[in-house]
Amino acid sequence: MAELPGTSSGVNGSDPQEIVDDPLGVFTRESYNYPGGQPLVASSYTSTRELDGQCVALQLNTVDPSEVRRLLPRLRWVVEHQADLKRRAVEAVVHAFSDGAATAEDLAEAHDDLLLETIVAESNGDVLLHLTDSCGGHMLDGYWPAVRFDRDDTLVRVTVEA
């Protein structure tokens, strides 16, 4: 299979555990070994990257290396524009969970407290931004907001995940 410019497989074969993308880094499928059992291989490729001083996980929600390569340009675009998408995501979270109209103070506080933790690219072109509550004042412990954008970066949905 021909590689996209800027990508290469770190392992020969049809199912590499590692795909290298020059702009974004090395994406791997992690495996977990349970005592006495078969190893469990993750259902996605992941990497990490520092964005605005924060370590952010980049996840491609597929096990198919050719699908990873197809999704990489979308993920590159999202990473390049993550500041604007994060701003929109934080504001969407505030508006979704405010009892009344959000104030400028509410928004400023949320921009300081809600940090980008994970960007997930999905096969349909959607991306999901997972935010973490750095102060513990916005979400219950163990929960975090997730904001979905479609392939045109239109806000689709705000959810809380656990």
Side-chain angles (χ1 to χ4, degrees):
M1 163 178 248
E3 301 286 339
L4 283 175
T7 66
S8 64
S9 296
V11 176
N12 291 328
S14 61
D15 187 20
Q17 298 298 305
E18 181 177 281
I19 295 175
V20 179
D21 180 67
D22 289 341
L24 296 180
V26 178
F27 287 83
T28 59
R29 286 183 63 200
E30 295 184 12
S31 61
Y32 309 93
N33 292 314
Y34 294 103
Q38 295 274 350
L40 175 66
V41 180
S43 61
S44 61
Y45 282 83
T46 59
S47 185
T48 57
R49 182 177 178 101
E50 187 173 313
L51 299 173
D52 294 335
Q54 177 79 16
C55 183
V56 176
L58 305 177
Q59 182 177 345
L60 297 155
N61 237 3
T62 183
V63 297
D64 179 356
S66 62
E67 185 72 3
V68 167
R69 291 178 190 94
R70 187 185 71 77
L71 292 172
L72 280 169
R74 171 71 170 131
L75 187 56
R76 286 183 205 126
W77 195 95
V78 170
V79 166
E80 185 178 325
H81 296 90
Q82 61 81 28
D84 179 57
L85 290 169
K86 182 208 176 247
R87 178 191 54 76
R88 292 174 51 207
V90 167
E91 290 174 6
V93 168
V94 171
H95 291 298
F97 298 111
S98 292
D99 291 330
T103 66
E105 184 178 300
D106 294 334
L107 292 170
E109 182 180 299
H111 282 292
D112 289 340
D113 298 339
L114 298 177
L115 306 176
L116 182 59
E117 184 170 5
T118 306
I119 300 171
V120 181
E122 298 186 338
S123 293
N124 65 356
D126 284 5
V127 292
L128 202 60
L129 301 186
H130 293 260
L131 304 172
T132 188
D133 181 3
S134 66
C135 71
H138 300 277
M139 296 281 148
L140 294 174
D141 190 35
Y143 295 85
W144 62 89
V147 181
R148 178 177 296 274
F149 293 93
D150 69 13
R151 71 182 59 192
D152 298 319
D153 296 328
T154 300
L155 184 107
V156 174
R157 180 178 331 123
V158 177
T159 58
V160 176
E161 299 189 5

